[in-house]
């Protein structure tokens, strides 16, 4: 109950007294960063059309908060300040990060924010100097607080992840549940639409599309774009090749949208498309003929597609050696600074190890096509509700905007 000042003096109001639909179970979706928010948005269709559930959103503290609000701006739901969210009781909370989760007053389902549990924690983040670096997102410091496991359930993509969890946080094994991977299923369902995506992107018949995905951090290939992108522009005929770059949102969250745009502006003007951080990278990935990547999730997801893969950079010391991403690095060809790019692209396409890539792709999800069913079952179990009487469908990805005309760019592709 709160006091509201009116013309007749203070009035007592009951929370929710102005609602039309009362008595709903309340679910809190907690976005830390733009990437985490994008992951959590995949869950929204599982909660649609159910008048028993009210969904609200909040943004938890994080160093890369910058793009989280952008990722939620089109959702059109209630956005609670973090301070209010942690004072409020909810029936369910959903998050892809760990910071502040011990403060949440709700049974929490934690999800991974990337694919394959590839990256190791930063040395500066580990609490015990000299101990081996933990796998990011799956160690005790991510899942426990004050000696107790924080999540009510920990949703994993693959049965292999259980062994990783047993090594780094065995206390969380009783709450672990293998549900699959939403992006895996969306990409797989969308593969038949490849030609439609290419047309929508503006790739002309006979042209080839090269996608250059960059993760964030010192090991990212973003640090080498000033060498790679000029080579792509000077060595490859522009009428035959389209080039697109996707930059991890954490790069902009750390340096600023303007700064990242400024660093890439000269390349934009020369015809390289920079896919906006709030645009969906999955349709361009399906459309690509080549992926020149690093140790980010986009490169690993490319094993699901027809793209030939070249690694521009792969910092082995920062990668979980048992991950599918590390296996990919042992198989995929590495970009050479001393040989013509056209020859390397031809080599990567001709020597593409299809069976090995299929094996690596199978390590992304042990529940292919079943994420929606398994995740919805988990959500409704935590809520204490029976599921709606229909199977949740996996929808293909929507058609993308033309390259260079993503949100926030003018007709030349330069940030507005």
């Amino acid at each position: 109950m709160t006091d509201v000042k009116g013309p007749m003096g203070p009035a007592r109001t009951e929370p929710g007294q102005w609602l039309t639909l009362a008595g709903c179970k309340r679910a809190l979706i907690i976005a830390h960063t733009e990437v985490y928010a994008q992951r959590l948005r995949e869950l929204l269709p599982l909660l649609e059309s159910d008048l028993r559930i009210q969904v609200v959103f909040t943004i938890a503290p994080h160093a890369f908060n910058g793009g989280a609000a952008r990722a939620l701006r089109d959702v059109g739901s209630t956005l609670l300040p973090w301070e209010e969210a942690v004072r409020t009781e909810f029936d369910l909370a959903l998050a892809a990060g760990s910071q502040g989760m011990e403060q949440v007053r709700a049974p929490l389902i934690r999800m991974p924010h990337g694919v394959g549990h590839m990256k190791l924690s930063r040395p500066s983040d580990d609490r015990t100097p000299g101990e081996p670096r933990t796998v990011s997102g799956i160690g005790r410091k991510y899942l426990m607080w004050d000696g107790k496991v924080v999540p009510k359930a920990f949703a994993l993509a693959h049965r292999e992840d259980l062994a990783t969890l047993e090594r780094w946080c065995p206390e969380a094994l009783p709450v672990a549940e293998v549900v699959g991977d939403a992006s895996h299923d969306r990409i797989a369902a969308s593969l038949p639409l490849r030609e439609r995506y290419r047309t929508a992107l503006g790739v002309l018949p006979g042209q080839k599309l090269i996608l250059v995905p960059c993760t964030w951090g010192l090991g990212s290939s973003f640090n080498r774009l000033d060498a790679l992108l000029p080579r792509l522009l000077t060595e490859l005929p522009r009428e035959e090749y389209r080039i697109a770059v996707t930059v991890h949102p954490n790069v902009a969250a750390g340096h600023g949208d303007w700064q990242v745009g400024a660093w890439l502006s000269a390349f934009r003007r020369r015809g390289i498309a920079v896919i906006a951080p709030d645009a969906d990278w999955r349709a361009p990935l399906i459309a690509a003929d080549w992926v020149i990547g690093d140790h980010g999730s986009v490169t690993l997801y490319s094993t699901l597609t027809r793209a030939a893969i070249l690694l521009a950079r792969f910092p082995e010391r920062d990668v979980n050696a048992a991950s599918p991403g590390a296996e990919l690095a042992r198989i995929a060809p590495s970009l050479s600074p001393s040989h013509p790019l056209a020859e390397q692209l031809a080599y990567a396409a001709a020597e593409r190890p299809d069976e090995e890539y299929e094996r690596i792709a199978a390590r992304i999800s042990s529940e292919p096509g079943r994420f929606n069913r398994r995740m919805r079952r988990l959500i409704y179990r935590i809520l204490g509700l029976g599921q709606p009487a229909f199977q949740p469908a996996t929808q293909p990805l929507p058609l993308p905007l033309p390259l260079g005309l993503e949100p926030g760019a003018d007709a030349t592709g330069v940030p507005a």
Side-chain angles (χ1 to χ4, degrees):
M1 185 175 293
T2 58
D3 289 333
V4 177
K5 279 200 171 183
M8 303 298 291
R12 304 292 280 176
T13 65
E14 294 287 345
Q17 74 177 74
W18 307 116
L19 296 178
T20 297
L21 200 60
C24 294
K25 296 276 190 175
R26 303 189 71 205
L28 178 68
I29 292 184
I30 305 166
H32 291 76
T33 73
E34 187 161 6
V35 169
Y36 295 9
Q38 290 168 353
R39 281 266 163 178
L40 293 166
R41 285 178 65 161
E42 292 293 319
L43 303 179
L44 298 184
L46 305 181
L47 299 169
E48 290 177 349
S49 304
D50 194 331
L51 273 64
R52 300 172 297 172
I53 302 172
Q54 166 76 48
V55 178
V56 296
F57 297 79
T58 191
I59 298 175
H62 194 280
F64 294 139
N65 266 161
R70 172 170 53 200
L72 297 176
R73 68 187 175 192
D74 296 329
V75 174
S77 187
T78 304
L79 185 62
L80 287 182
W82 175 246
E83 294 76 12
E84 182 178 347
V86 295
R87 292 196 305 265
T88 306
E89 297 277 355
F90 291 91
D91 300 291
L92 171 70
L94 294 154
S98 59
Q99 283 187 223
M101 294 306 95
E102 75 283 353
Q103 302 175 53
V104 175
R105 302 174 69 179
L108 171 71
I109 299 177
R110 259 288 315 279
M111 296 176 58
H113 61 262
V115 61
H117 293 290
M118 282 193 290
K119 296 181 181 179
L120 296 177
S121 59
R122 295 177 300 172
S124 59
D125 287 346
D126 286 324
R127 295 172 180 168
T128 309
E131 290 292 318
R133 292 166 67 184
T134 58
V135 176
S136 181
I138 207 168
R140 286 187 175 93
K141 69 173 186 175
Y142 302 102
L143 296 169
M144 298 185 69
W145 184 265
D146 198 23
K148 297 179 181 179
V149 174
V150 173
K152 178 77 171 180
F154 186 29
L156 299 171
H158 202 288
R159 288 187 295 271
E160 287 184 2
D161 297 332
L162 294 171
T164 307
L165 184 62
E166 185 174 19
R167 177 181 179 187
W168 296 108
C169 187
E171 296 88 344
L173 275 174
V175 303
E177 185 147 347
V178 179
V179 298
D181 183 279
S183 283
H184 172 286
D185 291 358
R186 295 291 300 280
I187 291 170
S190 304
L191 291 175
L193 302 179
R194 181 174 188 268
E195 291 304 320
R196 293 184 62 187
Y197 294 148
R198 289 171 67 85
T199 300
L201 289 165
V203 180
L204 301 176
Q207 281 187 327
K208 303 295 185 181
L209 175 61
I210 300 172
L211 183 67
V212 183
C214 306
T215 189
W216 70 281
L218 298 179
S220 165
S221 60
F222 190 87
N223 293 315
R224 296 185 178 175
L225 288 186
D226 58 346
L228 174 58
L229 296 187
R231 287 191 67 190
L232 291 170
L233 287 169
T234 57
E235 295 185 35
L236 302 177
R238 290 186 61 176
E239 64 274 9
E240 295 181 26
Y241 294 90
R242 293 295 305 275
I243 303 162
V245 176
T246 178
V247 179
H248 196 290
N250 284 2
V251 180
H255 294 280
D257 289 330
W258 179 89
Q259 182 63 78
V260 174
W263 282 331
L264 298 175
S265 60
F267 300 116
R268 282 183 184 264
R269 287 193 289 269
R270 295 181 64 186
I272 291 179
V274 179
I275 296 173
D278 55 343
D280 198 322
W281 49 266
R282 293 172 294 186
L285 177 65
I286 292 169
D289 297 285
W290 286 276
V291 170
I292 303 178
D294 53 18
H295 65 307
S297 293
V298 179
T299 307
L300 182 55
Y301 279 122
S302 68
T303 59
L304 291 165
T305 75
R306 292 168 44 181
I309 303 169
L310 283 160
L311 292 181
R313 194 171 188 196
F314 199 89
E316 294 183 12
R317 291 180 298 179
D318 297 327
V319 174
N320 172 18
S323 68
E327 184 180 3
L328 176 62
R330 293 189 286 267
I331 294 171
S334 178
L335 193 68
S336 169
S338 58
H339 288 76
L341 272 177
E343 293 181 10
Q344 296 187 62
L345 295 174
Y347 175 89
E351 301 294 327
R352 188 183 191 278
D354 294 343
E355 291 185 3
E356 286 87 345
Y357 286 178
E358 288 176 9
R359 185 183 68 247
I360 294 169
R363 296 183 62 192
I364 294 174
S365 171
S366 61
E367 309 298 327
R370 295 187 287 272
F371 174 83
N372 281 350
R373 279 179 283 170
R374 296 180 71 88
M375 189 67 191
R376 192 181 74 171
R377 185 184 306 133
L378 173 59
I379 288 172
Y380 274 79
R381 190 177 76 228
I382 300 296
L383 283 171
L385 294 173
Q387 296 184 65
F390 59 88
Q391 291 289 0
T394 299
Q395 298 295 332
L397 297 163
L399 294 178
L401 292 171
L403 291 172
L405 293 181
E406 296 86 6
D410 63 18
T412 66
V414 178

